[in-house]
Amino acid sequence: RPRAGRGDAAAATRIYSAESRTFDRDRLRYQRKFYSQPHDSHMASALLARNFTRTRDPANAEIIWYQRKQLMDWSRVSRWQLPNHVKRERAIGHKRDLATHLKNTPAMRWVPETYDLGKTDEAAAFVKLARAEEPRKPGCRVEILPVGPDFAMYF
């Protein structure tokens, strides 16, 4: 197996430097420009009031604002641009998806015990824990629906 020579490292450095120059050039060229969808959004008004310039092409904007994230073309967003959405934000914005993605990762040491109530085994474990921790004060009672398909419907 051939080893990489000094020429390979130099070529990689030249490519990285060229990308950095392009990154900096574009970032500075489109600084204080924004793209808004819809065109007349409240955000557009706020940015215009703060001396930003509107552009009709999202590729030429520092700030990209979409009211509906489904319209955003992530393949055209450059790393220097500031979109108001995150690609695949459902993975962090919905508790079930976040818990699923964090399971068996080092981050789990900071995450409280989490149950996916759509899974029968996890719902049963949650019910068992909730019943064990039910308040013992008179008049206080925790009502838990039976585990099963109807149980998952409420969550």
Side-chain angles (χ1 to χ4, degrees):
R1 182 171 160 180
R3 292 177 51 189
R6 292 182 129 252
D8 295 338
T13 301
R14 279 193 304 276
I15 291 168
Y16 177 76
S17 297
E19 286 177 358
S20 292
R21 282 192 301 274
T22 302
F23 175 86
D24 289 337
R25 184 192 68 224
D26 288 347
R27 183 179 54 82
L28 293 172
R29 181 188 315 165
Y30 301 122
Q31 198 168 27
R32 301 199 60 80
K33 291 185 180 180
F34 75 94
Y35 174 82
S36 175
Q37 177 64 335
H39 190 67
D40 59 347
S41 68
H42 292 297
M43 181 55 77
S45 299
L47 290 169
L48 287 169
R50 287 165 179 79
N51 296 322
F52 276 78
T53 306
R54 183 189 329 251
T55 179
R56 294 202 179 273
D57 183 1
N60 299 335
E62 177 184 21
I63 296 175
I64 303 173
W65 182 269
Y66 277 87
Q67 191 167 0
R68 294 184 58 222
K69 63 185 173 195
Q70 297 84 353
L71 299 176
M72 195 166 235
D73 181 2
W74 288 104
S75 66
R76 298 192 64 213
V77 176
S78 295
R79 60 185 177 160
W80 56 269
Q81 292 178 304
L82 304 170
N84 68 314
H85 292 285
V86 179
K87 189 174 183 179
R88 296 189 62 208
E89 63 189 38
R90 181 179 169 91
I92 59 174
H94 289 73
K95 293 175 191 173
R96 179 182 290 174
D97 291 347
L98 179 60
T100 300
H101 291 295
L102 290 178
K103 201 168 268 192
N104 300 321
T105 69
M108 284 305 293
R109 64 179 169 210
W110 295 291
V111 177
E113 195 166 349
T114 306
Y115 300 92
D116 180 348
L117 301 178
K119 296 179 180 171
T120 307
D121 59 330
E122 291 188 35
F126 173 76
V127 168
K128 183 178 178 183
L129 178 67
R131 284 194 173 135
E133 295 180 358
E134 186 174 347
R136 302 291 180 219
K137 295 179 185 173
C140 290
R141 187 165 168 257
V142 176
E143 185 175 338
I144 300 172
L145 300 171
V147 176
D150 292 340
F151 182 72
M153 175 177 75
Y154 290 102
F155 295 92

